[in-house]
Amino acid sequence: MATGRLCTQLLSGHDPGLPALFVSVGKPLKGPRTAWDLRELGVRLHWQEPMATQPLEAATKVTQCKYKRIGCPWHGPFHELTVHEAACAHPTKTGNELMEILDEMDQSHRKEMQLYNSIFSLLSFEKIGYTEVQFRPYRTDDFITRLYYETPRFTVLNQTWVLKARVNDSERNPNLSCKRTLSFQLLLKSKVTAPLECSFLLLKGPYDDVRISPVIYHFVFTNESNETDYVPLPIIDSVECNKLLAAKNINLRLFLFQIQK
Ligand SMILES: [Zn+2]
């Protein structure tokens, strides 16, 4: 069962600038509490895994409607599932309405297939490099400091690189917003004798469980233009993003594919 210690764990996120990320407490907590007590006290849990206590996990586990296959987008806590499914509008839609929904679903499936096909063709390139990258948190020295992440320098395809990442595109008060996103840029640190055209891709690394939907980005690196724009780090959702921010470092794997003319 959960205890007072659990609350402290939840409340001590690594970054004091972002306390609202993890948990919000209605009343002060004293002494050992069960997970249910925490809810009674107004503790709002923003994600479940660190809680890992059976009753709460089972009741708040995010589930999807059984009519997902015909396009119902609903997802929510397990204990609300029965009520939703009884009232779900999807099974009573007409054939024509369902056809439209199925068309949309086919289209997104096609896009997904295209992405995987592109990844497979990149895998047959001659020059491919990959490495584990570790984003470490830092603060800007502005008057109002901002959190950003940077990796140590690393070498891939015989070049030196750095990755940087920022939260909610460095908006002023990310702790006031409940939707969190990460974006990143890739910087070439070594000098090149000719433009270096690359595709690159961030995926989960071998040791951390990060849910990323792969996106391939392209850039032509030269000595004058040696950093990409900030592009979205495609973490599947805001909850997953909060989980990453709660961990000290963010460990991912970077793939670089050199495009040869
Ligand atoms: Zn539904």
Side-chain angles (χ1 to χ4, degrees):
M1 261 305 142
T3 64
R5 202 177 125 258
L6 174 67
C7 311
T8 354
Q9 274 177 358
L10 280 168
L11 290 167
S12 62
H14 77 280
D15 180 25
L18 295 170
L21 261 182
F22 312 110
V23 69
S24 46
V25 179
K27 298 177 196 163
L29 296 165
K30 280 189 198 128
R33 302 279 176 189
T34 65
W36 288 110
D37 289 336
L38 293 180
R39 274 171 73 95
E40 290 303 304
L41 284 163
V43 176
R44 226 173 72 222
L45 303 169
H46 294 256
W47 82 91
Q48 303 136 30
E49 280 186 14
M51 293 295 293
T53 56
Q54 205 44 50
L56 185 68
E57 192 185 336
T60 58
K61 189 173 187 293
V62 176
T63 45
Q64 289 181 315
C65 171
K66 70 175 170 190
Y67 301 111
K68 177 182 173 241
R69 290 169 61 82
I70 50 172
C72 177
W74 187 88
H75 58 274
F78 179 73
H79 66 88
E80 288 173 17
L81 180 66
T82 331
V83 177
H84 166 79
E85 283 182 351
C88 183
H90 276 74
T92 55
K93 284 190 188 298
T94 66
N96 276 335
E97 285 170 323
L98 289 179
M99 286 290 282
E100 266 173 47
I101 295 172
L102 291 176
D103 275 347
E104 272 169 41
M105 288 165 75
D106 281 351
Q107 216 164 340
S108 69
H109 183 240
R110 255 196 305 276
K111 271 191 202 145
E112 217 173 329
M113 285 304 292
Q114 268 165 11
L115 170 73
Y116 294 130
N117 286 334
S118 321
I119 295 177
F120 287 130
S121 21
L122 287 173
L123 287 174
S124 55
F125 277 25
E126 184 191 343
K127 295 197 173 173
I128 301 176
Y130 71 88
T131 187
E132 270 58 79
V133 288
Q134 183 171 69
F135 289 89
R136 298 173 182 171
Y138 298 96
R139 289 236 150 230
T140 59
D141 42 16
D142 301 336
F143 178 64
I144 299 170
T145 62
R146 280 173 205 173
L147 173 70
Y148 70 97
Y149 288 84
E150 193 169 325
T151 66
R153 289 180 177 222
F154 54 87
T155 305
V156 176
L157 296 175
N158 296 321
Q159 309 289 348
T160 310
W161 309 86
V162 162
L163 280 161
K164 288 185 183 178
R166 57 191 192 188
V167 185
N168 288 15
D169 277 321
S170 291
E171 70 182 20
R172 207 163 271 269
N173 287 308
N175 51 323
L176 296 182
S177 145
C178 61
K179 187 165 163 50
R180 258 169 217 89
T181 58
L182 279 165
S183 52
F184 75 101
Q185 68 171 169
L186 175 63
L187 301 90
L188 172 66
K189 288 295 180 184
S190 33
K191 295 284 172 216
V192 284
T193 48
L196 182 64
E197 187 173 355
C198 288
S199 294
F200 56 100
L201 173 71
L202 276 175
L203 292 178
K204 102 178 191 60
Y207 312 113
D208 277 347
D209 197 18
V210 184
R211 292 160 72 201
I212 285 190
S213 33
V215 174
I216 305 165
Y217 295 107
H218 289 276
F219 195 75
V220 183
F221 293 91
T222 62
N223 292 336
E224 292 70 42
S225 159
N226 58 358
E227 49 184 72
T228 68
D229 288 334
Y230 272 89
V231 290
L233 181 58
I235 302 154
I236 59 148
D237 57 27
S238 195
V239 177
E240 190 70 11
C241 187
N242 281 345
K243 233 164 72 180
L244 276 191
L245 294 169
K248 186 163 166 38
N249 299 315
I250 302 175
N251 298 306
L252 297 172
R253 180 175 267 180
L254 172 77
F255 286 86
L256 266 170
F257 308 88
Q258 188 176 338
I259 296 158
Q260 286 175 302
K261 291 281 152 76

